[in-house]
C-alpha cells in the first residue's frame, strides 16, 4: 500500500545530516522556530527546536564537529532559552520554580543551586628538566 503524500512529506522533513548546507540557512530555521514560539506564547524548548529543524541529537553532534559556526548556533539558541526563562522567572514568581528546574537542564544552561568546587591542583610537567623531580629537592 502506498503512503499518503502528506505522511511522505513529513518523513522527508527528517532529512538528518546534510540538510543544512550553510550555518546561515540553519540559523534562519532556528530564528523561525523562536518566532513561532513567541507568536504562540510557548517556551522554545530544545526538543521542540530539534523536531522543528528535522534533526536528532546525533545530527547536532555532526554539525558541531563539522564547523564551529554550527556549534555557535546551538549556543545562541541555549542563551535565548536562558534569557526567556530568566525573564519569565523574574516577572512571574509563580513560575520561578518551574523556570529554575528548566535552567538546570544541560540544554538550557545546566545551572546549579550549589557552588561548584573547582579542582585547585597544580600540575607541573618536569619532563625536560635536568634531574627530573630530584632537581626540586
Amino acid at each position: 500500500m502506498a503512503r499518503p503524500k502528506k505522511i511522505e512529506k513529513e518523513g522527508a522533513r527528517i532529512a538528518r545530516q546534510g540538510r543544512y548546507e550553510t550555518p546561515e540557512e540553519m540559523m534562519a530555521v532556528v530564528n523561525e522556530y523562536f518566532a513561532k514560539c513567541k507568536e504562540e506564547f510557548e517556551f522554545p524548548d530544545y526538543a521542540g527546536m530539534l523536531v522543528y529543524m528535522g534533526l536528532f541529537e546525533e545530527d547536532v553532534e555532526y554539525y558541531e564537529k563539522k564547523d564551529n559556526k554550527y556549534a555557535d548556533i546551538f549556543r545562541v539558541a541555549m542563551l535565548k532559552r536562558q534569557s526567556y526563562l530568566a525573564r519569565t522567572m523574574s516577572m512571574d514568581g509563580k513560575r520561578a520554580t518551574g523556570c529554575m528546574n528548566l535552567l538546570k537542564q544541560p540544554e538550557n544552561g545546566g545551572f546549579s543551586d550549589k557552588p561548584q568546587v573547582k579542582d585547585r591542583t597544580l600540575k607541573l610537567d618536569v619532563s625536560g628538566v635536568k634531574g627530573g623531580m630530584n632537581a626540586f629537592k
Side-chain angles (χ1 to χ4, degrees):
M1 180 174 185
R3 292 174 59 178
K5 291 281 185 197
K6 184 177 180 183
I7 294 173
E8 208 168 276
K9 285 183 181 179
E10 286 298 313
R13 286 192 69 196
I14 305 292
R16 311 283 313 246
Q17 301 169 4
R19 176 174 186 196
Y20 299 99
E21 293 181 20
T22 66
E24 294 77 20
E25 182 183 348
M26 180 183 279
M27 190 69 211
V29 174
V30 169
N31 287 335
E32 248 178 54
Y33 173 70
F34 276 90
K36 174 186 156 297
C37 289
K38 185 175 183 177
E39 186 179 294
E40 296 174 2
F41 302 103
E42 293 180 352
F43 172 63
D45 65 295
Y46 180 72
M49 183 180 77
L50 292 185
V51 169
Y52 188 84
M53 295 174 72
L55 298 176
F56 293 106
E57 290 86 357
E58 58 269 19
D59 301 322
V60 172
E61 291 174 19
Y62 163 81
Y63 281 108
E64 287 177 335
K65 288 177 184 172
K66 181 178 178 180
D67 188 336
N68 281 341
K69 290 179 184 178
Y70 288 106
D72 289 346
I73 291 168
F74 292 103
R75 289 179 61 204
V76 167
M78 180 185 70
L79 291 171
K80 285 183 173 187
R81 286 190 299 277
Q82 284 179 9
S83 174
Y84 176 95
L85 291 168
R87 285 183 284 118
T88 301
M89 189 163 75
S90 65
M91 292 187 307
D92 186 356
K94 293 177 183 177
R95 300 166 100 189
T97 302
C99 289
M100 191 61 207
N101 287 337
L102 287 170
L103 283 168
K104 290 178 183 178
Q105 296 175 350
E107 62 270 9
N108 297 326
F111 288 26
S112 174
D113 294 338
K114 299 174 186 165
Q116 299 293 320
V117 178
K118 304 236 179 191
D119 182 17
R120 301 207 180 255
T121 306
L122 177 64
K123 297 178 182 176
L124 297 174
D125 183 10
V126 295
S127 59
V129 175
K130 190 172 185 175
M133 284 301 291
N134 291 329
F136 296 98
K137 291 185 182 180

